[in-house]
Amino acid sequence: MSGCGKVKAWQVPLRLVTGAFILHSGMEKWDGPDEQAQGVHGMARQTFPFLENIDAPRFLKLLAAGEIALGAALLTPMVPTRLAGAALTGFAGSLMAVYAQTPGLRKEGSVWPTPDGIGVSKDSWLLAIGLALTLSPHQKHHKHAQHVKHVKHAKGHGGCHKHHCHHEQGGHPGHHGHLKQAKLVAREAKEARRPAKGVSPGGHSHHHAHRHGPGHARKGCPAHH
């Protein structure tokens, strides 16, 4: 059940089991005998008096159709979980109302069932499942929360990147900083080995000779002694 409805993993067993059970119950009631129709209608009209205007066979058909539709909705992934859960909650709530109002199903002054009411009291589990499905987080809200989390995570990595760049530019050079320093040292060493422009083979520049005169270049300069 992973279609368009985006059913989550924990919802699958709840929808699968309840949907199959309710669908099967509705199909059995569809062609139920008159005795079954009279019994079900008699219990229901004690809780909901307006049902007296509907005859028993017709009520059984309507109840069967409702159970078949509800079971199919729970088993269909395209039906949103919260919608299917709300329908299940309403159905189970009506069953619990019948349990509470029908004499003989509960012990006197207690919510616990008599032996005759155990079958109906178990519908409380359907009510709990319906509420769980109805109150499940909305898919859009969950995606929004994930988006916010990713944005915060990206901002945190951006701060780390800035911190790394700051260290490279400041007193803590990174890998690229060490590479630049090595290239600079190599360039300075190369320039130191290269002879300066205008220097004679003897090591005296023409500028020095022109400034002090030719005689000075021979007599006074220590380089010629």
Side-chain angles (χ1 to χ4, degrees):
M1 297 178 68
S2 59
C4 301
K6 302 293 184 182
V7 180
K8 298 178 183 178
W10 69 268
Q11 298 169 349
V12 172
L14 302 183
R15 293 187 63 164
L16 184 63
V17 173
T18 55
F21 180 84
I22 295 173
L23 178 63
H24 179 263
S25 176
M27 293 176 67
E28 283 195 334
K29 288 184 178 71
W30 185 258
D31 293 322
D34 290 340
E35 294 80 7
Q36 184 183 14
Q38 293 295 335
V40 172
H41 184 256
M43 292 179 62
R45 70 184 180 184
Q46 289 183 11
T47 305
F48 307 104
F50 65 90
L51 294 178
E52 292 181 0
N53 299 326
I54 304 176
D55 58 353
R58 185 186 176 192
F59 173 75
L60 188 64
K61 282 282 187 182
L62 292 174
L63 179 60
E67 289 184 349
I68 291 172
L70 176 58
L74 288 165
L75 293 173
T76 303
M78 282 72 73
V79 177
T81 295
R82 298 180 75 180
L83 179 61
L88 178 59
T89 300
F91 174 73
S94 64
L95 295 178
M96 294 309 299
V98 172
Y99 169 75
Q101 297 294 329
T102 303
L105 296 183
R106 293 184 298 113
K107 295 177 181 179
E108 190 68 26
S110 174
V111 298
W112 302 112
T114 62
D116 293 335
I118 290 178
V120 183
S121 67
K122 290 181 179 180
D123 293 330
S124 59
W125 301 345
L126 295 179
L127 179 61
I129 294 173
L131 289 172
L133 296 176
T134 304
L135 298 175
S136 60
H138 199 278
Q139 191 70 17
K140 290 183 179 179
H141 292 169
H142 181 64
K143 287 182 178 179
H144 178 69
Q146 285 185 337
H147 176 70
V148 172
K149 184 178 179 181
H150 286 314
V151 169
K152 290 183 178 179
H153 185 68
K155 287 183 178 179
H157 276 285
C160 292
H161 178 70
K162 291 180 180 179
H163 182 70
H164 178 69
C165 292
H166 173 73
H167 273 276
E168 287 189 356
Q169 294 173 0
H172 301 279
H175 175 71
H176 296 289
H178 286 298
L179 212 67
K180 289 180 180 180
Q181 288 183 356
K183 289 181 178 180
L184 184 60
V185 171
R187 189 182 299 117
E188 290 178 351
K190 185 176 181 181
E191 289 179 356
R193 291 193 299 269
R194 185 184 303 169
K197 292 182 179 180
V199 177
S200 62
H204 223 59
S205 65
H206 293 288
H207 175 71
H208 183 80
H210 175 74
R211 182 178 179 184
H212 298 284
H216 176 81
R218 291 191 301 270
K219 298 176 181 179
C221 184
H224 291 277
H225 294 282

